[in-house]
Amino acid sequence: MSTAERVPDWPRILATVQFDGTGTVRVNGIERACAAESVEGLRTGIIARAVAIATALGRPVQLHVTEGGAVWPLAVRPNGVVHALSASATVPTDNGLSPAEGRCRGCRRLQSVAELRCARCGVSDPHAVGHEGDGATEPTVAPTGSGAAAPYKANHTPALRLKFSSQPTVTVAGRAVLGRRPAALDGRLGVAVVSPEQMVSRTHVLVDVDAAGRVLITDHHSGNGTRVLTTPPIDLRAGVPYAIEPGTSIQLGDVTCTIDLEIP
């Protein structure tokens, strides 16, 4: 007997597909235009984008695609398997299912949407349909130890404790957006960061806590990038959420920030 798995509704990934091969992908309120030479190529690229996010989180993610006036709720796994999402947001196991496939944007080789580099021509992000280009870095997951969730009460969201190198510690309930002059984004509280060398972007990084109590960080297409200060350090790919252990430090330009949780 197959076991149904519930797919969390965070991060929120919304995509649109137009008949001319253009569209958008919106992740947690951050929208990026995308385009491909065909509608089929655009669909493949959107799924590959969801696969990258699922890989970074280590679990399936929801993807809602609007095309031709209809909305298609899907669940996308890190291995590239795509399910139709039920009304209860559950999917069956992927036993025996094959990943979605598409053609490489370089050599047209047919391959899984989960492949990070084409085995034939060597291009990275072979299904990319955005504006990241060939130089985009491959998705990487920050070390998360045993993967156990933070021990918090089901009815309480942990608070974020943000310890900065340039200013006093700040405590935020649940979700935050960090930057020199950040605006509240998709329900997150803006936290102004003192940047002596002006190397922190106006809106630099998003910090969230998911339903499992994990800290998730997303670089908001910052000018100087976001680095996780692990061994080895990890440079984040803009727009992709990364799971980190509470107590991990990140570098935002000329400022470091240690992110921890306060459990109610």
Side-chain angles (χ1 to χ4, degrees):
M1 179 181 295
S2 62
T3 302
E5 176 182 3
R6 188 181 184 283
V7 182
D9 59 4
W10 197 100
R12 187 166 177 79
I13 310 173
L14 308 175
T16 61
V17 175
Q18 305 296 336
F19 293 122
D20 61 356
T22 63
T24 60
V25 176
R26 185 179 183 89
V27 183
N28 288 338
I30 306 172
E31 185 170 286
R32 306 288 286 181
C34 51
E37 61 182 25
S38 67
V39 171
E40 181 180 358
L42 181 60
R43 291 176 186 144
T44 298
I46 289 171
I47 292 172
R49 176 73 166 142
V51 167
I53 296 172
T55 300
L57 296 176
R59 60 165 173 82
V61 295
Q62 293 189 25
L63 168 64
H64 295 263
V65 181
T66 300
E67 180 178 351
V71 178
W72 304 89
L74 306 172
V76 181
R77 294 184 179 275
N79 62 2
V81 170
V82 180
H83 302 270
L85 190 67
S86 71
S88 60
T90 59
V91 293
T93 61
D94 62 350
N95 292 340
L97 298 178
S98 299
E101 293 184 321
R103 297 196 176 276
C104 172
R105 59 191 172 90
C107 67
R108 310 303 298 163
R109 172 179 175 263
L110 187 66
Q111 56 199 287
S112 165
V113 292
E115 292 194 31
L116 300 177
R117 188 177 299 276
C118 179
R120 175 186 290 172
C121 69
V123 67
S124 63
D125 272 343
H127 304 296
V129 291
H131 300 288
E132 295 167 289
D134 291 352
T137 57
E138 297 178 359
T140 310
V141 181
T144 55
S146 63
Y152 72 103
K153 300 176 183 178
N155 295 326
H156 296 81
T157 301
L160 292 166
R161 186 168 64 247
L162 310 171
K163 183 178 180 180
F164 296 96
S165 61
S166 60
Q167 66 196 75
T169 297
V170 176
T171 300
V172 178
R175 311 171 70 207
V177 52
L178 313 185
R180 284 188 294 112
R181 294 188 302 277
L185 180 63
D186 198 25
R188 299 177 182 86
L189 179 67
V191 177
V193 178
V194 176
S195 177
E197 302 297 326
Q198 299 292 294
M199 295 178 66
V200 174
S201 295
R202 178 173 180 172
T203 302
H204 198 110
V205 67
L206 314 180
V207 186
D208 296 278
V209 181
D210 73 359
R214 296 184 302 175
V215 176
L216 302 172
I217 57 175
T218 309
D219 182 87
H220 190 67
H221 302 275
S222 63
N224 289 304
T226 302
R227 171 170 288 188
V228 183
L229 300 179
T230 51
T231 304
I234 299 171
D235 292 319
L236 301 193
R237 178 177 179 175
V240 176
Y242 290 73
I244 62 172
E245 291 280 7
T248 300
S249 296
I250 62 174
Q251 183 173 352
L252 322 172
D254 58 332
V255 176
T256 60
C257 176
T258 301
I259 303 173
D260 214 335
L261 295 179
E262 290 186 357
I263 312 299

